[in-house]
Each structure stands twice: as structure tokens, then as C-alpha cells.
Amino acid sequence: VQLQASGGGLVQPGDSLRLSCAASGFTLEHYTIGWFRQAPGKEREGVSCISIIDGSSYYTDSVKGRFTISRDNAKNTVYLQMNSLKPEDTAVYYCAAVPASCDYLADFGSWGQGTLVTVSS
């Protein structure tokens, strides 16, 4: 199970970015996928999750209405569309996969390398 996150970069407040989480060696369609982030000096936090249990998507409060998680099964990729970015969104973003509910991602998921998002004017 290998995951690769990409799409990060340096943007200004209010801009948008789309992160990608590409899988190799397994089919993402059969996994719950989540995005996490870790800002400098802070603990890792869950950002969003798309579940295989019920197909629902979940978001941490600080990104609700701004971020959207989605799957493209044909490309074996999960995306995180991030709009109206704020400086506090600056972090390394990671994706993780688990063949279970979102609750199991942090402790039992397979993780990819992160991608850095910097929001600064």
C-alpha cells in the first residue's frame, strides 16, 4: 500500500489549491481516505475523511464550507479541494487510507508522504 500526496505550494490568502492523493498497489475505492495536516509546532489534526462505510464525507469545523474531499475511482485518486485558504491552513498535508471507518485512520491507516501548503501574503 503506497500513497503519494501532491499539489501543495505557496499561495496567497483567499486562493485555492487542490491536493491529490494517489494510490499504488491497491484500489482506493475500497478504502476510507482521510486528509490530515500538521502545522509547525502543532499536533497533527484530522482535516477531512471520505468513508467507505456509508459514503459520507466529514470535515473538521475550521475547514467546513471551504474544503471538499472527493474520489476519482478511475484515476485511483482522492482529492482535497481547498478554497478560501487562510494563513492558519499552512501545514504539511498527509493522506491516509484504511479499509474501515474514519475512526480507524489515525491509528491504523497507511500513510503517504506529505505535501506542504503555505498560505502567506
Side-chain angles (χ1 to χ4, degrees), residues 21 47 79 84 111 121:
C21 177
V47 175
Y79 301 101
S84 302
W111 293 79
S121 56

Side-chain angles (χ1 to χ4, degrees), residues 71-117:
R71 296 180 184 268
D72 185 335
N73 293 331
K75 294 184 178 181
N76 210 27
T77 300
V78 170
Y79 301 101
L80 185 68
Q81 178 67 43
M82 307 187 296
N83 298 329
S84 302
L85 282 162
K86 304 175 181 180
E88 51 264 43
D89 295 319
T90 295
V92 178
Y93 284 71
Y94 302 87
C95 58
V98 71
S101 72
C102 292
D103 293 339
Y104 291 86
L105 265 173
D107 293 332
F108 301 103
S110 297
W111 293 79
Q113 291 185 328
T115 184
L116 176 62
V117 173

Side-chain angles (χ1 to χ4, degrees), residues 1-79:
V1 174
Q2 288 190 335
L3 295 168
Q4 179 64 56
S6 63
L10 172 62
V11 297
Q12 294 186 339
D15 284 352
S16 298
L17 275 177
R18 188 178 74 163
L19 304 184
S20 300
C21 177
S24 59
F26 70 105
T27 303
L28 274 181
E29 181 180 4
H30 302 150
Y31 285 74
T32 287
I33 307 297
W35 286 95
F36 295 77
R37 65 186 180 187
Q38 187 163 20
K42 295 188 177 181
E43 293 186 353
R44 185 184 67 193
E45 69 167 336
V47 175
S48 181
C49 178
I50 185 164
S51 175
I52 58 165
I53 303 302
D54 58 5
S56 296
S57 301
Y58 302 92
Y59 302 92
T60 192
D61 287 345
S62 63
V63 308
K64 284 181 181 176
R66 300 189 297 123
F67 290 12
T68 303
I69 191 170
S70 63
R71 296 180 184 268
D72 185 335
N73 293 331
K75 294 184 178 181
N76 210 27
T77 300
V78 170
Y79 301 101

